[in-house]
Amino acid sequence: MLRRINMSKQGQRAFAFSNAKQLFRRRLFSHWREQSAIIRTAADWTVLLYILIPGGLLGGRLYYGFWNEALPAWSVNLPFMLIPSLLVLLICNGGLVLLLQEGDLLFLRQRQRWMNTILFRGLLYSLIVTSLKFCVAFALLLPFLIRGFEMTSSEVWALFALTLACSWCVKLLGHLVKVQKQGWRRWLWLFLAISVPNAIYFRVASLWNDRPLIILLSAVVFTVVAIIAFRWRLVMRGTFMNDVREDYKQRMKIAAILLRHVLDKPRPTRHKPWIFRKSQPLLKSKTAESRFSAAAIKALVRNPAHLKLYLAFTAVSAVAILIIPSGFKWLGFVVLTSLMTFWLFSFWSLFVGDDYIGILPFTKEQKAEAGMHAVPILLLPFTMITSALICLSLYGWWGIILFVPVGYMVGLFISRIFGTFRLGKD
């Protein structure tokens, strides 16, 4: 018996942590080190100091001026509902960090009390961080709330309590949906979990001057819902892998922001494309060059990155056409069409240079002919939209007759000129 007791004591000493509180503390410090390491990869601390110190001094001076000097002229005519709108954006941002790890499936699932302790402290930590975030936000907004909108201290505290309670409610309800639902049901329930509390918050916040008591009662209701969701989260079972997945997303959020414009987002694996699913011939001609051209058209439309860039440039060009003076609209149309044509031929060069395309036995002349056929087709929607805007704005109803032949001829002419130089060199 004594030997068993000694062995059990030795086994307890063999654990790196004697209780769940120490394990959570270790993971929290590791989380902080991880986030600081991610930030250090993007900027050196020396550079940050040169930015933060002058920025802090300038910001402090501006904040002092907001309290003791006249408010800026632009803030005088701002509607009050702009403040709740900004706070709603802040409420919808962020999530919960539970500090769970994949290895807990093997080592901590047998210790349910340890799991509950880590889960409880992780939820509490996340809500504290959310509270600190809104404390900073309200500290920055205080000069405008008190001096600009002439709110009393009780009204400010009521709005702060409402905002904080609503943020807790949205964070917890959104987390419950993320770890339990999948597919379209997840997005539907997530929309309801976020939009309904925010809609109530936005409506109640508009009553700050008329019925401040309603704001406090609504804050109490949000708090009660948050407490119920908190307790529900603690007793929930069977969501461990989803918990780890969502926790990893939250911990990697800073890294995702820093790498968003550096690395391309991995494309999801599709068993079927979202468009042209039956892979029917896109062009009437059955020649090899036409099928090669159709493959390039499908490749651009099916690629989200290329399609978004095409649509974005089209939208920006449409706005530019509308604001350009009438005497320069056609010149702008030619310049914008040339830019789009240049990009489409660059896409064609990437498509032709792909390793999989290199397997196909196409000659240089066949590739050039296919490119001269594919690029005008890809350019046609752009030229039609932009020429329609020009013709309708300059010629009225006659523009309905003119924009189709004009868009087609200009697009074909410019693509032929670019193709002669680009494809002749390839």
Side-chain angles (χ1 to χ4, degrees):
M1 180 65 70
L2 292 175
R3 185 178 181 181
R4 289 183 181 179
I5 294 174
N6 292 332
M7 290 180 63
S8 63
K9 290 182 178 180
Q10 290 177 0
Q12 290 178 358
R13 295 192 191 98
F15 288 104
F17 307 99
S18 60
N19 53 60
K21 296 179 182 179
Q22 293 182 1
L23 178 59
F24 175 81
R25 194 179 303 115
R26 170 66 178 274
R27 290 186 178 182
L28 183 59
F29 291 154
S30 299
H31 172 65
W32 290 343
R33 287 194 296 268
E34 182 183 57
Q35 300 304 309
S36 63
I38 292 173
I39 296 174
R40 285 199 302 270
T41 58
D44 186 17
W45 284 113
T46 305
V47 178
L48 285 177
L49 287 177
Y50 281 106
I51 297 175
L52 292 177
I53 293 176
L57 294 174
L58 178 60
R61 175 63 185 86
L62 290 174
Y63 190 73
Y64 176 82
F66 290 156
W67 280 109
N68 297 277
E69 299 173 2
L71 290 175
W74 54 264
S75 65
V76 176
N77 298 322
L78 290 179
F80 173 78
M81 294 312 295
L82 180 63
I83 301 296
S85 301
L86 296 176
L87 294 174
V88 164
L89 295 178
L90 199 59
I91 290 173
C92 297
N93 187 28
L96 301 179
V97 177
L98 305 180
L99 297 180
L100 296 175
Q101 297 179 0
E102 295 87 344
D104 295 341
L105 182 64
L106 298 175
F107 299 103
L108 286 185
R109 289 300 296 272
Q110 297 82 5
R111 294 174 174 264
Q112 192 59 47
R113 293 182 61 183
W114 283 44
M115 292 287 292
N116 291 339
T117 301
I118 294 175
L119 190 61
F120 175 81
R121 290 174 174 262
L123 291 171
L124 196 61
Y125 165 75
S126 300
L127 295 180
I128 290 174
V129 171
T130 300
S131 304
L132 293 177
K133 179 172 65 175
F134 281 98
C135 287
V136 174
F138 264 83
L140 296 177
L141 294 174
L142 269 180
F144 303 98
L145 294 176
I146 294 178
R147 301 188 64 203
F149 299 105
E150 298 181 351
M151 294 181 66
T152 63
S153 59
S154 59
E155 291 171 344
V156 171
W157 280 109
L159 182 62
F160 175 73
L162 177 68
T163 306
L164 197 58
C166 181
S167 66
W168 291 346
C169 185
V170 170
K171 295 291 188 298
L172 289 166
L173 292 178
H175 175 78
L176 292 175
V177 173
K178 290 177 183 178
V179 299
Q180 291 187 101
K181 304 296 182 180
Q182 298 294 332
W184 65 269
R185 293 181 181 84
R186 176 183 180 180
W187 294 108
L188 176 61
W189 282 101
L190 191 61
F191 173 77
L192 294 175
I194 294 177
S195 62
V196 173
N198 280 319
I200 297 174
Y201 166 80
F202 196 79
R203 180 68 183 93
V204 173
S206 63
L207 305 175
W208 66 273
N209 195 17
D210 299 330
R211 302 174 182 175
L213 183 60
I214 295 181
I215 295 181
L216 293 176
L217 292 176
S218 301
V220 172
V221 173
F222 278 134
T223 304
V224 171
V225 174
I227 292 173
I228 295 173
F230 192 96
R231 293 177 61 87
W232 187 9
R233 170 65 266 203
L234 292 177
V235 299
M236 187 184 299
R237 298 292 181 266
T239 60
F240 177 78
M241 297 308 298
N242 292 336
D243 293 338
V244 174
R245 181 197 64 201
E246 294 300 326
D247 197 54
Y248 181 77
K249 287 182 180 179
Q250 295 300 324
R251 289 189 285 112
M252 291 292 105
K253 184 164 289 187
I254 295 179
I257 294 173
L258 295 177
L259 298 177
R260 181 176 298 172
H261 302 290
V262 179
L263 300 175
D264 292 333
K265 183 179 180 180
R267 295 173 58 189
T269 302
R270 293 181 181 270
H271 299 286
K272 291 183 179 180
W274 71 277
I275 192 172
F276 303 128
R277 290 192 172 190
K278 296 183 179 180
S279 296
Q280 296 295 329
L282 189 62
L283 304 176
K284 291 184 178 180
S285 178
K286 303 296 184 181
T287 62
E289 292 81 0
S290 295
R291 298 201 172 190
F292 195 27
S293 302
I297 296 171
K298 292 180 180 180
L300 187 143
V301 175
R302 288 172 175 173
N303 190 302
H306 292 151
L307 184 60
K308 288 178 182 178
L309 184 59
Y310 186 98
L311 296 176
F313 187 78
T314 303
V316 172
S317 300
V319 175
I321 289 295
L322 292 175
I323 64 177
I324 289 177
S326 301
F328 297 93
K329 286 186 183 294
W330 286 116
L331 177 62
F333 172 66
V334 173
V335 172
L336 292 172
T337 304
S338 300
L339 292 174
M340 175 61 84
T341 307
F342 179 81
W343 177 75
L344 289 175
F345 274 109
S346 299
F347 163 76
W348 173 259
S349 300
L350 292 175
F351 177 75
V352 173
D354 190 87
D355 294 335
Y356 292 101
I357 300 300
I359 301 175
L360 302 176
F362 285 104
T363 63
K364 180 180 178 182
E365 291 74 16
Q366 286 178 315
K367 292 180 179 179
E369 183 179 350
M372 294 292 287
H373 192 42
V375 171
I377 296 176
L378 291 171
L379 186 62
L380 191 60
F382 174 83
T383 55
M384 287 296 180
I385 293 173
T386 49
S387 65
L389 293 175
I390 295 176
C391 292
L392 292 174
S393 62
L394 294 181
Y395 311 116
W397 291 105
W398 288 104
I400 300 176
I401 303 174
L402 293 175
F403 84 90
V404 174
V406 169
Y408 177 78
M409 295 301 297
V410 172
L412 182 63
F413 178 73
I414 293 178
S415 62
R416 292 294 181 187
I417 294 176
F418 273 83
T420 302
F421 291 97
R422 294 294 300 271
L423 300 182
K425 295 180 181 180
D426 293 341

